[in-house]
Amino acid sequence: MACTKHYIANEQEHFRQGPPPSYLEASLSSNIDDITMHELYLWPFADAVRAGTASIMCSYNQINNSYACQNSYVQNYLLKNELGFQGFILSDWQAQHSGVASALAGLDMTMPGDVVFNSADSFWGTNLTIAVLNGTVPQWRLDDMTTRIVAGWYYVDRASNEAENAPNFSSWTDDTYGFEHYYAQEDYTQINWHYDVRQDHAADIRNQAAKGTVLLKNTGALPLTGKEQLTAVFGSDAGENPWGPNGCADRGCDNGTLAMGWGSGTADFPYLVTPLEAIKAKVRSNGKSIEGITDDYAYSQINSLANSAAQVDGACIVFANADAGEGYIIVDGNEGDRNNLTLWHNGNDLISNVSSYCPNTIVVMHTVGPVLVDSFYENPNVTAIIWAGIPGQESGNSIVDVLYGDENPG
């Protein structure tokens, strides 16, 4: 069943949780007035409820100085009352901070169940039983929790849509055999069946990535014709991660082209089509020349190739990125959130170097959010700027669709 997350105003990684680290006493609070809440932050969840989401996950942060998972206003009043949500609310992992208060405030399921991973202590469990028995939590509230959870099961008709050997994969390992109960190290059996469930997802991913691309500047350079005598591609963001697309645990690095941020919500790429790979295929299909340099710091080679493209009125395409993810991974000194709004790997210098030689420089940016473009936006040699987000496994194909006019960017 669908789970919509993270409810609500969970807008940064820094300080979104309380301790750990030990110097934090509480998480940050997103302080939001009623109009802003309704017109900006609540709107996507209203769409999710309308679309039929069965569950919604409350977030780590506080809203107006009350933790999201025990905030009665956002859970009971806004979500269940105003939006009419009939499914269940579950906590993000370790986002529950109380027992009775969270129950009365609308939380229906606690995850992972204990206060801290594998602690065997719970705010609910036997404590919830006692609270119901002594009347602190009304019986109807427990019935409401149960009804909402079971209703979700029937709403999606899980009984008729159960996968064979479910669960047919392990969240902890890719090994075919292992312990069914990972933490307890008990019941050694087959835990991964390695089913290929992709079907025609690749076509959808390619289409969505192209349609999600935004054109920020175009002085007539785009679309490319594919007949350019020399196409020159620059930047590590155009190429392969030398360790492979899944070479960094939970995508916790910024090597090669950026197609996914990092963190616990990531998945393994079945493959990753790089921009250089896709552009090369396009140019070669037209019998023209293409060269690429994916070392951001090979200055003399970069300048030479940019000049060669300029001599034949070719096209220079610069790829640069800026990454981010979940706070338990630190990449290049960035603890989850980015430290600034600049392009990584000296992307601004790369753009400056290429555009100083090539009067038809097209910039493509794969970023997790806004970046500063003021240093090159007005440069007349920068003829087009594209923001391509983090497009997924069909990254190269989707940007080729935009560069060569098969898809119109936003």
Side-chain angles (χ1 to χ4, degrees):
M1 61 185 73
C3 178
T4 304
K5 57 184 75 170
H6 299 87
Y7 186 74
I8 191 172
N10 180 27
E11 300 300 311
Q12 69 180 62
E13 191 68 16
H14 277 64
F15 318 125
R16 67 177 180 141
Q17 296 175 266
S22 58
Y23 60 81
L24 291 179
E25 295 183 358
S27 76
L28 65 90
S29 177
S30 300
N31 298 328
I32 305 169
D33 64 81
D34 189 65
I35 292 176
T36 306
M37 173 66 80
H38 280 83
E39 294 186 355
L40 181 62
Y41 295 100
L42 192 61
W43 199 270
F45 292 94
D47 286 341
V49 171
R50 191 178 298 113
T53 186
S55 62
I56 289 178
M57 179 182 289
C58 54
S59 53
Y60 287 119
N61 57 289
Q62 300 183 67
I63 299 99
N64 296 332
N65 298 306
S66 175
Y67 278 106
C69 294
Q70 61 189 53
N71 189 313
S72 182
Y73 180 74
V74 301
Q75 294 188 126
N76 285 330
Y77 184 76
L78 292 181
L79 184 58
K80 293 182 176 179
N81 181 35
E82 277 197 5
L83 300 186
F85 177 57
Q86 297 183 32
F88 63 96
I89 301 174
L90 71 154
S91 71
D92 203 339
W93 269 235
Q94 299 180 190
Q96 185 185 27
H97 292 272
S98 64
V100 171
S102 61
L104 297 178
L107 184 65
D108 300 303
M109 177 186 291
T110 175
M111 294 301 293
D114 38 11
V115 176
V116 178
F117 285 103
N118 304 316
S119 68
D121 297 321
S122 177
F123 286 117
W124 282 358
T126 55
N127 290 320
L128 182 58
T129 302
I130 293 170
V132 173
L133 290 174
N134 67 24
T136 310
V137 174
Q139 177 70 46
W140 66 260
R141 175 76 269 262
L142 179 62
D143 294 343
D144 181 52
M145 295 178 189
T146 307
T147 301
R148 287 173 175 274
I149 294 168
V150 175
W153 174 275
Y154 284 106
Y155 178 71
V156 299
D157 193 15
R158 280 296 306 273
S160 300
N161 294 283
E162 194 69 38
E164 184 181 0
N165 301 313
N168 52 37
F169 69 95
S170 169
S171 299
W172 304 102
T173 178
D174 291 330
D175 293 346
T176 302
Y177 291 90
F179 292 105
E180 183 176 1
H181 304 289
Y182 181 82
Y183 182 73
Q185 297 288 282
E186 293 181 352
D187 298 333
Y188 190 85
T189 184
Q190 184 172 352
I191 55 176
N192 279 307
W193 274 258
H194 309 291
Y195 291 134
D196 188 342
V197 298
R198 291 175 296 164
Q199 299 179 354
D200 60 350
H201 296 170
D204 291 336
I205 293 168
R206 178 174 180 170
N207 181 53
Q208 291 167 13
K211 283 180 164 48
T213 300
V214 179
L215 183 64
L216 302 177
K217 177 183 179 180
N218 185 20
T219 62
L222 297 178
L224 296 171
T225 66
K227 303 293 186 179
E228 292 78 15
Q229 186 169 333
L230 173 60
T231 301
V233 178
F234 303 88
S236 58
D237 184 62
E240 301 270 4
N241 179 347
W243 302 338
N246 302 310
C248 304
D250 293 346
R251 312 297 79 78
C253 65
D254 187 38
N255 303 340
T257 194
L258 177 62
M260 185 189 304
W262 74 75
S264 60
T266 56
D268 284 351
F269 290 109
Y271 59 83
L272 177 54
V273 180
T274 69
L276 180 56
E277 177 184 356
I279 295 171
K280 191 177 291 186
K282 182 72 173 182
V283 172
R284 288 179 59 201
S285 70
N286 291 315
K288 298 301 181 181
S289 299
I290 179 169
E291 296 183 44
I293 298 175
T294 55
D295 183 341
D296 299 306
Y297 307 99
Y299 299 119
S300 62
Q301 292 85 354
I302 289 169
N303 295 344
S304 177
L305 178 57
N307 183 62
S308 296
Q311 300 308 309
V312 294
D313 296 325
C316 297
I317 310 174
V318 180
F319 285 84
N321 69 37
D323 200 359
E326 202 167 351
Y328 70 92
I329 297 175
I330 300 174
V331 178
D332 293 341
N334 297 271
E335 187 176 354
D337 296 315
R338 292 174 291 158
N339 295 331
N340 50 53
L341 296 178
T342 58
L343 292 166
W344 289 23
H345 305 292
N346 289 336
N348 291 65
D349 291 342
L350 178 62
I351 295 167
S352 176
N353 291 341
V354 173
S355 61
S356 66
Y357 287 89
C358 183
N360 185 21
T361 298
I362 299 160
V363 176
V364 179
M365 301 180 297
H366 290 121
T367 77
V368 295
V371 291
L372 299 173
V373 298
D374 53 321
S375 67
F376 55 88
Y377 187 87
E378 300 293 345
N379 185 334
N381 284 356
V382 175
T383 53
I385 303 174
I386 291 174
W387 180 79
I390 42 177
Q393 67 193 44
E394 289 284 325
S395 174
N397 289 331
S398 62
I399 198 61
V400 161
D401 290 342
V402 171
L403 288 171
Y404 292 90
D406 295 323
E407 290 284 353
N408 286 322

